[in-house]
Amino acid sequence: MIAEILPPGVASCDAFGDSGPPAAVRLFPEEAAAVEGVVAGRLREFTTVRGCARAALARLGLPPAPLVPG
């Protein structure tokens, strides 16, 4: 849906809910350290967002990389 309003050259990825990450999404050690000790719901949210970000970056031709807060 959002992809329809974005300008050319911008990538997006949708996720509806945080039911957990696809099996292919693994956190980098730096990302895992950022959410160490959080509640399960926050971990699902964090991982879902990283999965979407990686999918969008891949559409732009960029390799997977750690995406840490800040």
Side-chain angles (χ1 to χ4, degrees):
M1 295 170 67
I2 189 90
E4 296 171 7
I5 64 170
L6 294 174
V10 175
S12 68
C13 177
D14 295 273
F16 299 95
D18 297 316
S19 59
V25 176
R26 298 281 183 251
L27 295 178
F28 284 88
E30 301 92 330
E31 295 168 325
V35 289
E36 188 175 336
V38 301
V39 297
R42 174 63 181 130
L43 180 59
R44 284 191 306 272
E45 175 186 60
F46 186 90
T47 307
T48 298
V49 169
R50 271 45 192 186
C52 284
R54 288 196 186 105
L57 290 169
R59 290 183 188 127
L60 296 174
L62 298 169
L67 304 167
V68 295

